[in-house]
Amino acid sequence: AILPFENKGAEADEFYAYGISSDLITDVTGAGMIRVASLSDVEKLDYKNIKNSELAKDLFVRYVAKGTLWKMDTMFQLSMEIFDTKESKVVYNKRWQTAWKDLATIKDDLSDNILETLEIEILQDSENQIVESNPEAYEYYLRAKHKYAKRENIDDIELIRGLLNKAIEIDENLILAITALAITYTEVGEYDKAMELNNAALKQSEEIGDKGGIGQSLINIGNVYYYKNEIEMSLDYFYKTLAVFEEIGAKAGMGLILNNIGVINSHRGDLDKALDYHERSLAIKDELGDKRGIGNSLGNIGLVYEKKGDLNDALNYYERSLAIRDELGDKRGIGTVFANLGALHWKKGDLNSALDYLNQGLKIDTELGDKRGMSLSLSSIGIGHWYKGELNKALDYYERSLAIQEEIDDKNGMAENHNNIGNVYHNKGNYEMALKYLENSLSIQKEIDVSAEVLLVTITSLYLTYKHLGKDYDENEINNLIKKSQKIKYELNFRLYELLEDKSYLENAHTQLQNKADEMDHEMKDKFLNYPIQKQIIEAWQKIQS
């Protein structure tokens, strides 16, 4: 654990101590076979007033590094010690001073001292990474980094960008500032600007042979492609990142990128491959004792099992993930698990429990200002109300979700919610409005190239609307999509029966519904079968049997 350095100087100089400590954590984390507690985990503790042994226990670490920084005119006085809590002794202690003109080298010196003391092997040539940084530019970058960590609202982002742009204006080679600026755009959905900056950072890292920097830029680019729903491009960049991290032995980075590759394969429906990558990621995080990472991997493995239909295994992994996130006080992670538990209970037929978890997740997303998380939670809550037959509530949540998705340009989510809203209007008998939203959904889906199953859901709803309006539709298109679809669920089978008037689809829907209900206890089964869609299926089946 690297604790934030204590600022011994003026209060206005706090940003020096904070920013250098934060960068130091990043540098040491990427060095090789070492795990460093995240700054956010450290800051949750009263680290200034508790013993090293307690810090080590709370953060699951052996070594604790702490220091002081005092700016005096144009000089910095520094001290650092590293304490081995297993041996209960100081293994490194040094005091020195550095001129302000050498500000950008402080972090590198500290990193070298820590890694040398702990005998961590560095597999990349650190000399290739050293670039003379303008101290004034680096100071602006440190001010921005401190402000970003302490930001309170969206207005702070413009101030932060101003500081980072000033740093880049003074020193166009300050890759740290370029990368930090890109993150401020990624987080608010301005992906083109983020991509431009990440590519600039990648180019500069390649020019100086900084493998760690190359890997970080590749991750950032892959993330932007993922958010833009360009999945294959995202996966390509993540594989490139993995190769770089394996080359330099950056274990923490390998654990992260294996997880990302697992997430994408899960998204693509390649569940066995997803499980393999997530388990490889989990093994590295276990090896490093990375509690936060373990919690994340357990949640993602649970998600794969849920998609495979193994709901009991999924629930086990979710609960293990939640226990770790509770232990760490990881609010964002807790919100993610709540969302997963909501989806799981929904599949088990317990809509009330599902909505309870989803609303808890939405509350956390809102507190954190996580727009992507908010949009997903709102949409999922809308779906819960839809299945309960509460159409006006469903419409409200769908529209709130859609507004955020349009703001962050989430085309995948936009396509889904246009479809959802279209279905609500269809059920309310407002076929003109249903037509508008379903056609919008179809247009977006063709733009982003979705699966045959997703396309079939929307086109079935659209053609049912055409049918009510007396418009012609192409049955051949429906039949072709049915042939391409690997799995058609009970609700879609029922819609296909309504559209095509082929009783085999109703029989499939009724059989699937009964099989699902038979897996539930008696009380939940009765409740599940009395939701509106389920009742429609049962009544339609009974009607053709009589």
Side-chain angles (χ1 to χ4, degrees):
I2 299 172
L3 307 186
F5 274 44
E6 182 182 356
N7 173 39
K8 291 285 191 179
E11 185 177 345
D13 294 336
E14 175 65 27
F15 71 91
Y16 287 114
Y18 184 91
I20 289 171
S21 304
S22 178
D23 277 355
L24 180 59
I25 288 173
T26 301
D27 271 17
V28 177
T29 298
M33 186 57 192
I34 184 170
R35 180 182 66 82
V36 186
S38 71
L39 184 56
S40 61
D41 284 345
V42 171
E43 290 183 318
K44 288 169 186 169
L45 305 175
D46 185 15
Y47 59 86
K48 294 180 180 179
N49 298 310
I50 59 178
K51 296 178 181 178
N52 287 329
S53 57
E54 293 178 48
L55 279 168
K57 181 180 178 181
D58 289 338
L59 296 169
F60 312 100
V61 299
R62 173 175 175 177
Y63 298 96
V64 177
K66 60 175 66 173
T68 64
L69 182 149
W70 189 354
K71 183 177 182 292
M72 303 176 66
D73 296 324
T74 61
M75 298 297 294
F76 289 95
Q77 290 190 354
L78 299 114
S79 71
M80 185 175 74
E81 74 168 35
I82 303 174
F83 189 83
D84 181 348
T85 60
K86 184 177 181 181
E87 299 293 334
S88 296
K89 66 179 182 180
V90 174
V91 293
Y92 176 87
N93 196 330
K94 183 180 178 181
R95 295 178 182 274
W96 72 103
Q97 63 181 25
T98 298
W100 181 85
K101 67 181 179 65
D102 297 321
L103 172 63
T105 68
I106 292 175
K107 177 250 308 177
D108 296 321
D109 291 340
L110 292 168
S111 178
D112 290 343
N113 290 336
I114 291 173
L115 295 170
E116 183 178 341
T117 300
L118 302 186
E119 299 180 346
I120 304 298
E121 181 183 6
I122 309 300
L123 299 184
Q124 63 171 322
D125 185 357
S126 60
E127 292 302 315
N128 287 342
Q129 305 171 49
I130 297 174
V131 177
E132 282 292 323
S133 294
N134 182 293
E136 185 181 1
Y138 191 66
E139 180 174 308
Y140 275 111
Y141 160 75
L142 291 178
R143 288 182 185 275
K145 194 173 184 71
H146 182 249
K147 185 67 177 176
Y148 186 78
K150 307 298 181 182
R151 68 192 187 281
E152 296 179 354
N153 53 56
I154 194 69
D155 294 335
D156 289 338
I157 296 296
E158 289 307 314
L159 175 59
I160 292 160
R161 286 178 181 166
L163 292 168
L164 291 170
N165 278 312
K166 186 67 176 175
I168 297 165
E169 180 184 320
I170 295 169
D171 183 357
E172 62 182 16
N173 295 316
L174 188 55
I175 300 174
L176 291 169
I178 298 171
T179 300
L181 185 59
I183 289 171
T184 71
Y185 286 102
T186 300
E187 290 196 345
V188 297
E190 296 184 43
Y191 299 129
D192 291 342
K193 183 63 176 177
M195 190 70 82
E196 175 190 333
L197 290 163
N198 284 323
N199 277 312
L202 175 60
K203 182 179 179 181
Q204 291 194 27
S205 294
E206 288 173 338
E207 287 173 354
I208 63 173
D210 177 6
K211 296 287 180 64
I214 291 169
Q216 188 57 57
S217 291
L218 290 170
I219 284 182
N220 292 341
I221 293 170
N223 284 338
V224 174
Y225 276 122
Y226 180 77
Y227 295 142
K228 292 179 70 176
N229 206 47
E230 297 181 34
I231 300 302
E232 296 306 319
M233 288 294 291
S234 178
L235 190 59
D236 181 53
Y237 273 91
F238 287 157
Y239 281 130
K240 290 177 182 177
T241 307
L242 180 60
V244 172
F245 284 160
E246 286 177 337
E247 180 184 350
I248 63 177
K251 284 281 188 174
M254 289 165 60
L256 171 65
I257 208 65
L258 285 165
N259 175 78
N260 288 4
I261 294 171
V263 167
I264 289 185
N265 278 300
S266 178
H267 182 84
R268 298 165 80 206
D270 196 340
L271 301 182
D272 290 334
K273 185 178 284 188
L275 198 56
D276 174 58
Y277 277 100
H278 282 312
E279 287 176 342
R280 288 166 62 188
S281 176
L282 179 60
I284 288 176
K285 290 164 183 174
D286 273 331
E287 186 180 7
L288 293 172
D290 178 6
K291 281 274 189 175
R292 184 183 294 274
I294 291 169
N296 187 41
S297 286
L298 289 171
N300 284 331
I301 291 172
L303 189 58
V304 175
Y305 277 116
E306 182 184 331
K307 288 184 176 182
K308 288 167 79 72
D310 299 331
L311 300 187
N312 290 332
D313 284 336
L315 182 60
N316 174 46
Y317 277 98
Y318 288 155
E319 288 176 342
R320 288 167 61 189
S321 176
L322 185 60
I324 289 176
R325 294 177 190 277
D326 275 333
E327 182 182 356
L328 296 174
D330 177 8
K331 203 168 185 180
R332 186 179 295 276
I334 291 169
T336 299
V337 179
F338 280 153
N340 290 341
L341 284 168
L344 179 67
H345 282 283
W346 174 26
K347 289 180 179 177
K348 290 169 74 73
D350 187 354
L351 291 189
N352 290 329
S353 293
L355 285 170
D356 181 53
Y357 279 116
L358 291 169
N359 276 296
Q360 289 184 69
L362 175 61
K363 182 180 178 183
I364 291 174
D365 292 333
T366 304
E367 289 172 356
L368 295 173
D370 179 358
K371 291 185 178 180
R372 183 170 292 273
M374 288 166 63
S375 73
L376 289 171
S377 293
L378 286 165
S379 179
S380 297
I381 293 169
I383 292 170
H385 287 296
W386 157 263
Y387 274 97
K388 292 182 75 175
E390 299 167 349
L391 299 184
N392 289 332
K393 283 186 177 180
L395 186 60
D396 174 57
Y397 281 100
Y398 289 153
E399 288 175 339
R400 288 163 61 189
S401 177
L402 180 60
I404 296 173
Q405 288 161 347
E406 288 174 340
E407 182 183 346
I408 64 174
D409 195 32
D410 175 9
K411 286 190 167 57
N412 198 58
M414 288 159 62
E416 181 180 347
N417 265 321
H418 275 286
N419 179 80
N420 290 339
I421 293 170
N423 281 329
V424 171
Y425 279 118
H426 180 99
N427 272 29
K428 288 166 75 76
N430 189 338
Y431 300 119
E432 293 295 342
M433 287 294 287
L435 187 63
K436 170 188 169 184
Y437 280 97
L438 291 168
E439 287 181 339
N440 285 344
S441 177
L442 184 59
S443 175
I444 297 170
Q445 287 179 30
K446 288 181 176 178
E447 182 183 338
I448 61 176
D449 190 27
V450 298
S451 67
E453 285 90 344
V454 172
L455 206 55
L456 178 59
V457 168
T458 299
I459 289 181
T460 300
S461 295
L462 179 63
Y463 286 1
L464 268 173
T465 304
Y466 283 172
K467 188 173 182 177
H468 280 285
L469 291 170
K471 294 176 177 283
D472 294 333
Y473 54 88
D474 185 359
E475 280 194 26
N476 288 330
E477 184 174 12
I478 288 284
N479 290 324
N480 287 334
L481 286 171
I482 290 170
K483 290 175 184 176
K484 293 178 183 177
S485 299
Q486 296 179 351
K487 188 174 183 181
I488 298 176
K489 298 179 181 179
Y490 67 85
E491 183 181 359
L492 179 55
N493 267 317
F494 181 57
R495 299 303 180 213
L496 288 169
Y497 162 70
E498 290 184 307
L499 178 67
L500 303 175
E501 300 178 15
D502 181 337
K503 294 178 183 178
S504 67
Y505 291 110
L506 177 58
E507 183 176 4
N508 289 339
H510 186 263
T511 300
Q512 289 171 323
L513 190 61
Q514 291 298 329
N515 289 340
K516 185 175 179 66
D518 288 343
E519 296 173 357
M520 304 173 186
D521 61 46
H522 182 71
E523 182 181 352
M524 189 56 61
K525 179 177 180 178
D526 286 345
K527 189 178 293 185
F528 174 74
L529 292 176
N530 275 288
Y531 288 130
I533 295 168
Q534 287 84 326
K535 281 184 70 176
Q536 288 178 44
I537 294 171
I538 292 169
E539 288 170 1
W541 179 250
Q542 289 173 343
K543 185 176 180 180
I544 68 168
Q545 295 301 300
S546 59

